[in-house]
Amino acid sequence: MSSAAFSYAPLLPTGPDQTEYRLVTDEGVDVVHGPGGRRFLTVEPAALTALTAEAMHDIAHYLRPAHLAQLRSIIDDPAASPNDRFVALDLLRNANIAAGGVLPMCQDTGTAIVMGKRGRHVLTDGGDAEAISRGVYQAYTKLNLRYSQLAPLTMWDERNTGSNLPAQVEIYAEDPDGHPDAYKFLFMAKGGGSANKSYLYQETKALLNPTRMMQFLEEKLRLIGTSACPPYHLAVVIGGTSAEYALKTAKYASAKYLDALPTSGSMTAHGFRDLELEAEVLELTRNFGIGAQFGGRYFCHDVRVVRLPRHGASCPVAIAVSCSADRQAVAKITPSGVWLERLETDPARYLPDVTDETLDASEVVRVDLNRPMDDIRAELSKYPVKTRLSLTGPLVVARDIAHAKIAERLDAGEAMPQYLRDHAVYYAGPAKTPEGYASGSFGPTTAGRMDAYVEKFQAAGGSMVMLAKGNRSAQVTRSCQQHGGFYLGSIGGPAARLAQDCIRHVEVLEYAELGMEAVWKIEVENFPAFVVVDDKGNDFFAEVTKPVLTVGRR
């Protein structure tokens, strides 16, 4: 077999940058002249720090205009379900509150991820990752954000770093857009919910036909569920020179970073977008019935499908999502200054002139949580799954570490804490509380992480009504049927709105040393929720997560 002539193309060739930028500063950058008439851009560490701090602030509070327009389009779509429209309106209201710059849009303010491409004529002191990390530190310690990073002290013991460091910083030697004197960045804040919905499948050539591909995607995409807060920006990458490259490409694609890829392939073996398959996969998700968390069409806003070259014996498939907290921004440093993507600071212009009555508010069931637990359960037992609720009264808040500690007490023969017997439990962990507020951003966490505790806790008389986001396992449904329990789904995403409009009082009940992982008691008013699992063995998500494997590519 004769060899082909040498040819080169970048694996991910992107087109012209269409981003609208705003100037952050023109300080800390300069141009010097070098040998051969070359111009060099010098960048001071302080410029990298200032850009990073500004970027992490913006993506915690602002969204891209295109994302907000997609939320508005759900409300305007007559084919959207009432629950789709309710979730979309709540997310728009949340964006409006977060844009005030006090409460972040999500309580899980994420892992800071920064990817940079430094042109060959850009000069720094070499400590770029440290300067960028300092910007992350400044943002997370000065703003009302949450510290989520755990330092491993031993293989088994961890401690919160108290600053949200370390950040994930990757710097590549590459002329961005062909400009040797430019430095370009992608800033992301990736929460645990959406990060945990990144999947890698090692497939074979057998997947590469239209019918099998659509069957595969129907099966796998349903498994994403709702715990990462849809509607999603979904990315599917087929192929890859390695498994890790496929996963990284999926992350970039979910952030719309690869939107300008070519739309067809060539013998130079570069990646490309398959626009036809994107449309078909989007329509596939429209028919799942999952919708924007509680039934409907809007499981996804949009889909990106990227095809990469592959080794003949490997066919990795990577899937990733960006959630309703669609937090990313691009930036650049050029001879003209330090520039950051212009995000939407006035999301109120996307809010429609609708009221709760327009969204079938008459069908909302109001539940008084001040009553005894048996009375609360008797009230919930009257309604089918998918019923929309409005909760008012006390909730106990506990998540992973608190559940583990309470399980240890039960195993030691101690009684279930009375607060878990008397009150519904909300799986959540707050961000920092701003001055003058009862609470920081305080949205729900992923329910599935507590699944292993449910049967033990309910058998001991606790956790009879649970509130969180996302689908649960079959063992939770069985336990609720056996013990007369309920799982209520909270809207994933509107953490700022919940803090401002629904949470009236917060106090620590136990394990104060755990910080946001402590057991809290909160008072809520008109807190939105839906019946997901009832005491009769019904689970809303049980049907919509079952693939039928009958679709084929048209």
Side-chain angles (χ1 to χ4, degrees), residues 22 52-65 67-68 71 91-110 138-146 187-189 324-329 340-348 350 431-434 437 439-441 493-497 499-500:
R22 65 178 182 87
T52 302
E54 188 80 359
M56 300 315 295
H57 166 275
D58 280 13
I59 63 178
H61 293 282
Y62 309 133
L63 291 158
R64 286 172 165 157
H67 176 87
L68 293 163
L71 286 172
L91 292 172
L92 280 175
R93 288 170 170 164
N94 186 70
N96 196 50
I97 293 168
V102 178
L103 293 166
M105 69 182 74
C106 179
Q107 82 287 343
D108 184 348
T109 47
Q138 288 181 3
Y140 276 82
T141 54
K142 292 180 179 179
L143 301 172
N144 298 309
L145 309 185
R146 197 174 84 185
F187 292 94
M188 304 179 70
S324 58
D326 189 40
R327 294 173 294 194
Q328 58 265 324
L340 179 61
E341 180 176 358
R342 186 182 300 277
L343 302 180
E344 181 58 72
T345 58
D346 183 23
Y350 293 90
K432 284 183 280 188
T433 301
Y437 285 75
S439 165
S441 292
R497 195 190 78 75
Q500 176 178 285

Side-chain angles (χ1 to χ4, degrees), residues 9-30:
L11 274 175
L12 297 172
T14 55
D17 185 359
Q18 305 292 336
T19 305
E20 181 182 355
Y21 291 95
R22 65 178 182 87
L23 182 66
V24 175
T25 181
D26 56 6
E27 297 181 359
V29 296
D30 198 5

Side-chain angles (χ1 to χ4, degrees), residues 313-356:
S314 303
C315 186
V317 177
I319 296 173
V321 297
S322 183
C323 66
S324 58
D326 189 40
R327 294 173 294 194
Q328 58 265 324
V330 295
K332 62 181 180 180
I333 303 177
T334 69
S336 62
V338 178
W339 300 84
L340 179 61
E341 180 176 358
R342 186 182 300 277
L343 302 180
E344 181 58 72
T345 58
D346 183 23
R349 65 192 184 94
Y350 293 90
L351 281 167
D353 294 325
V354 299
T355 64
D356 285 343

